[in-house]
Amino acid sequence: MSAQNKDEPLAEAVRLREQGHPEQARKRLLALTAAFPDDADVAYQTAWVHDVLGLEAEAVPYYERCLQGEGLAKEDRRGALVGLGSTYRVLGRFGQAVETLRRGVEEFPDDGALRTFLSMALFNTGEHHEAMQLLLRLVATTSDSPHVRSYRPAIEHYAADLTRTM
C-alpha cells in the first residue's frame, strides 16, 4: 500500500471510531499499522482506538511510537500526550505518567486537561501539595463561577503556599 493510499482508509477508520464502531476501526487500523509501521498518524489513531476499547496496555506502544519525532500535527501531539499520560496512570505506571504529563504541560502550558491529569498522577505519587496547587491554579484561572472569579487573587495566593498560616 502506498502512502497516498493511506489517507482514505485512515479517515474511514477514524469515522468508524467516531460513529461508535471501535472494533471495526481497530481492525482497519491494525492493518494500516502493519503497512505503515512508522507513520505517526496511524500510530496515534491506533492508540486512541485501543483506549476507547479499554485496551490501555495495548495502546501504550502506539502512543509511544506516535510521539517519537515530529510526525504529528500539534493538536494530535497534544492529544497523544494526554492519552499516553492518562493511560500510564490508569495502568499504575505513575512515574511515567508524571513524566509524560509534565512534558505535555511544558509543550502546552495552557492546556487544562494536561494539568488536570498531571495533578491526578502527582496525587498518585504522593506529591499532594503540587497536585493541589495545580488544581487550585486551574480553578482560579478557568472557572466561570462569578464567586470563584471574585476570589481568584486569594486562591492564587494560597495556592503558592498551602501550608502557610498567620
Side-chain angles (χ1 to χ4, degrees):
M1 188 181 294
S2 72
Q4 292 176 326
N5 296 335
K6 174 199 72 161
D7 294 337
E8 190 173 315
L10 180 60
E12 177 60 23
V14 170
R15 273 192 297 279
L16 285 167
R17 177 185 44 81
E18 290 173 343
Q19 293 172 354
H21 306 287
E23 190 54 53
Q24 291 175 16
R26 179 177 177 262
K27 288 176 185 172
R28 292 179 188 215
L29 287 163
L30 288 173
L32 281 170
T33 297
F36 302 98
D38 298 322
D39 187 281
D41 294 322
V42 172
Y44 175 52
Q45 294 301 329
T46 305
W48 191 342
V49 80
H50 280 88
D51 260 351
V52 167
L53 288 165
L55 303 170
E56 288 86 358
E58 289 88 343
V60 169
Y62 296 108
Y63 277 129
E64 292 172 339
R65 187 181 312 163
C66 77
L67 286 167
Q68 296 172 350
E70 304 295 321
L72 283 180
K74 183 178 180 179
E75 286 308 306
D76 288 345
R77 183 166 177 78
R78 178 191 311 253
L81 287 163
V82 172
L84 180 58
S86 64
T87 297
Y88 278 149
R89 186 186 159 277
V90 165
L91 294 171
R93 295 164 66 175
F94 304 128
Q96 288 173 294
V98 168
E99 181 183 320
T100 300
L101 293 163
R102 279 194 197 281
R103 185 173 71 192
V105 168
E106 286 174 18
E107 288 185 40
F108 303 99
D110 295 330
D111 188 297
L114 280 162
R115 289 187 283 158
T116 301
F117 281 102
L118 175 57
S119 70
M120 288 186 272
L122 287 167
F123 176 86
N124 293 125
T125 60
E127 299 174 65
H128 303 125
H129 191 85
E130 186 179 355
M132 187 65 152
Q133 284 180 317
L134 274 170
L135 286 180
L136 284 173
R137 288 181 179 131
L138 185 63
V139 166
T141 59
T142 64
S143 178
D144 289 335
S145 165
H147 304 290
V148 172
R149 285 196 312 259
S150 70
Y151 286 100
R152 180 179 175 177
I155 293 168
E156 289 177 328
H157 173 77
Y158 294 125
D161 187 356
L162 291 166
T163 59
R164 184 173 156 195
T165 59
M166 303 275 306

